[in-house]
DNA sequence: CAATTCCTGTTAATAGTTTAACAGGGCAAA
DNA sequence: TTTGCCCTGTTAAACTATTAACAGGAATTG
């Protein structure tokens, strides 16, 4: 990769799509495909082929005319852009249903991202392993975060505990937080924060479902020629 | 509400934020507040107060000068816009960790949206109740969807089963689908589809965490004056 | 009762993102 | 070889979303 090339200024949305492209490409690779056309990627992601080509243009990847893109090469390039060289260690705080679902989901995936610790306050959970991930006491967070070089924390505790846990993560020296509880949090500027609440998504689906004719084109319908 | 007023053309993002505003407003109401300023809402949501006022302008709600917005009124108005009159029934397919997390999360919430059924193939789960939600066999999906007037399906089965389950939901007459598995699906145009994959979000966080100085302003940092 | 402050509501400008349009090249069939 | 087709890569235009700028009104202060 051209070392002068910087990917700092890629659009937010492109970053998200690159991650999705890779996910789809890995599946295609497993199915024995070696090349793929922009319109094939587009169909999988419910977007237009123009958008795919534009994204790939932005990251400077060229395909072969009439043959498409080399899947392996593209996977590698996306990796160079969005993965960190050293790998990033992640912790899940709150080993309940959602926390376990996330750990389950992650285990066995390659990825430069690994969940390397869980935290909980429930004594019955502390010390247990879940898919190879040990559960520690939140009291040891400081120590474990340092020891295991954890840079991202995922919050899946009950909403009432969210603020406290978020502050604890920040104090422990975490760099990014992904908050899955419905309670919004505040973090210092230098910490990257994403919040996701399923109810928002579901209410959005409900809104468009109840507007029978006027529903906006979905990504999928727009993607059709 | 002015019956001539249509909310069909509200921006996508505004719809999402309205849902989030309501969530925050309900918490404030519980804390005994009766009025709230745009900048207070903004701070909770990590956006600017201008954006809040603009969204409220779009839905035609006016606050009181120097006093802010009446929380109860605003909650009610948002409800009129994004909730459906009759209430919407939702089913979760795949009663594993994630499915259970969702059902747990929903139970006890008011809302015009209710999860009224779960589906699974595991005989040990069929017939059980989870937070008051019965688990049915996927074989009965057609029947149950009709009986319970279910219009939205949430997919939380193993990725290998996603396509099959999605098709089954479509055949059963569902109107909207929320797919939480990492396998993208295809649905007919008239069905509203949202897909969410945690890994995309996490990889995005990782991308910005690893860019130490150049990280784009987060919503939160932008929101600061 | 001015002047000040603090808030809302709106329009105009900017920024971000997607889509349209098209140039160009290779392969295939005629 | 020529024609037609199907793909990529890029620039320009359109669209969507956010932010800046400001007009104006009520409470507050001197
Ligand atoms: N974003 C979403 O889509 C979504 C979906 C479902 C649930 N949720 C939210 O995720 C959270 C967890 O849901 P769940 O179903 O896994 O709940 P759960 O009760 O199964 O799990 C919560 C876990 O957190 C632990 N815990 C409690 N206090 C703690 C603390 N101070 N520090 C560390 N651990 C603590 C508990 O021991 C438990 O193991 C809830 O806030 C819920 O609202 C979000
Ligand atoms: N989007 C996210 O953020 C996210 C996070 C975690 C997990 N996931 C995904 O969600 C899915 C479920 O994860 P999980 O941890 O709950 O898994 P799980 O194995 O705990 O649960 C899967 C459930 O689906 C049932 N099932 C299997 N085949 C079925 C079928 N054909 N019809 C109906 N039910 C069937 C199983 O009996 C089981 O109860 C997986 O695809 C996983 O990758 C997504």
């Amino acid at each position: 990769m051209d070392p002068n090339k910087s990917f700092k200024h890629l659009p937010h949305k492109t970053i998200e799509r690159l991650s999705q492209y890779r996910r789809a490409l890995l599946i295609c690779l497993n199915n024995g495909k070696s090349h793929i056309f922009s319109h094939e990627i587009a169909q999988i992601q419910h977007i237009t082929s123009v958008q795919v080509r534009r994204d790939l243009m932005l990251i400077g990847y060229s395909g072969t005319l009439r043959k498409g893109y080399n899947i392996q090469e593209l996977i590698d390039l996306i990796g160079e852009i969005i993965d960190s060289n050293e790998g990033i260690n992640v912790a899940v705080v709150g080993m309940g249903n959602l926390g376990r679902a996330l750990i389950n989901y992650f285990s066995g995936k390659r990825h430069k991202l690994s969940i390397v610790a869980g935290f909980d306050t429930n004594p019955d959970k502390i010390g247990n392993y879940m898919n190879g991930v040990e559960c520690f006491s939140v009291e040891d967070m400081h120590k474990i975060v340092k020891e295991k070089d954890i840079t991202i924390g995922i919050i899946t505790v009950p909403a009432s505990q969210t603020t406290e846990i978020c502050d604890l993560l920040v104090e422990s020296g975490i760099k990014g937080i992904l908050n899955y509880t419905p309670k919004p949090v505040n973090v210092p500027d230098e910490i990257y924060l994403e919040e996701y609440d399923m109810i928002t998504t579901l209410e959005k689906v409900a809104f468009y479902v109840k507007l029978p004719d006027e529903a906006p084109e979905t990504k999928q319908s727009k993607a059709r020629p």
Side-chain angles (χ1 to χ4, degrees), chain A residues 94 96-98 120-121 125 138 156-159 161 165 180 182 196 198:
Chain A
N97 286 308
L98 186 55
D120 211 295
T121 43
K125 299 195 176 178
V138 279
T156 57
V157 298
Q161 309 292 308
I165 288 301
Y180 276 106
Y196 178 82
M198 200 215 76

Side-chain angles (χ1 to χ4, degrees), chain A residues 123-151:
Chain A
D124 295 344
K125 299 195 176 178
I126 296 168
N128 288 355
Y129 281 79
M130 170 80 193
N131 265 299
V133 176
E134 189 172 355
C135 179
F136 299 95
S137 163
V138 279
E139 291 177 9
D140 297 330
M141 192 185 290
H142 237 90
K143 195 179 103 217
I144 304 287
V145 165
K146 294 280 175 299
E147 262 177 39
K148 298 195 177 267
D149 190 26
I150 295 169
T151 47

Side-chain angles (χ1 to χ4, degrees), chain A residues 25 27-37 40 71-72:
Chain A
L25 290 169
I27 294 172
C28 294
L29 198 66
N30 274 339
N31 294 344
K33 284 187 74 151
S34 73
H35 287 75
I36 193 167
F37 296 127
E40 293 178 295
I71 294 179
Q72 185 64 61

Side-chain angles (χ1 to χ4, degrees), chain A residues 11-221:
Chain A
H12 266 61
K13 292 284 181 70
T14 296
I15 300 292
E16 283 177 24
R17 282 191 299 263
L18 287 175
S19 166
Q20 289 164 355
Y21 296 163
R22 178 165 65 175
R23 189 188 57 188
L25 290 169
L26 285 163
I27 294 172
C28 294
L29 198 66
N30 274 339
N31 294 344
K33 284 187 74 151
S34 73
H35 287 75
I36 193 167
F37 296 127
S38 60
H39 68 259
E40 293 178 295
I41 300 179
Q43 200 188 0
I44 297 171
Q45 301 301 143
H46 313 311
I47 56 179
T48 65
S49 60
V50 188
Q51 188 152 62
V52 174
R53 291 201 299 278
R54 205 175 196 298
D55 285 335
L56 299 190
M57 187 195 87
L58 290 174
I59 64 171
Y61 185 67
S62 291
T64 313
L65 208 41
R66 295 201 71 115
K67 205 171 161 197
Y69 303 93
N70 180 307
I71 294 179
Q72 185 64 61
E73 276 178 25
L74 188 46
I75 289 172
D76 293 344
L77 177 58
I78 292 175
E80 289 186 60
I81 295 165
I82 67 178
D83 290 339
S84 123
N85 288 335
E86 324 81 41
I88 285 193
N89 297 321
V90 181
V92 172
V93 190
M95 298 282 271
N97 286 308
L98 186 55
R100 284 199 307 271
L102 295 181
I103 289 175
N104 246 333
Y105 177 34
F106 250 78
S107 81
K109 298 259 183 339
R110 16 94 305 266
H111 282 139
K112 285 295 175 72
L113 284 163
S114 5
I115 297 182
V116 296
F119 291 98
D120 211 295
T121 43
N122 185 335
D124 295 344
K125 299 195 176 178
I126 296 168
N128 288 355
Y129 281 79
M130 170 80 193
N131 265 299
V133 176
E134 189 172 355
C135 179
F136 299 95
S137 163
V138 279
E139 291 177 9
D140 297 330
M141 192 185 290
H142 237 90
K143 195 179 103 217
I144 304 287
V145 165
K146 294 280 175 299
E147 262 177 39
K148 298 195 177 267
D149 190 26
I150 295 169
T151 47
I152 296 178
I154 304 180
I155 306 180
T156 57
V157 298
S160 59
Q161 309 292 308
T162 302
T163 310
E164 184 192 326
I165 288 301
C166 177
D167 292 348
L168 202 52
L169 281 168
V170 170
E171 284 163 27
S172 300
I174 232 88
K175 300 273 180 34
I177 287 181
L178 185 38
N179 176 22
Y180 276 106
T181 77
K183 180 96 197 301
V185 299
N186 286 300
V187 297
D189 278 3
E190 65 274 14
I191 292 182
Y192 187 86
L193 173 68
E194 283 277 332
E195 308 201 296
Y196 178 82
D197 183 14
M198 200 215 76
I199 287 190
T200 298
T201 310
L202 194 50
E203 288 189 335
K204 189 179 167 193
V205 174
F207 179 79
Y208 289 118
V209 159
K210 78 163 174 159
L211 294 178
D213 305 315
E214 311 289 330
E217 307 227 298
T218 59
K219 284 192 292 184
Q220 179 167 341
S221 67

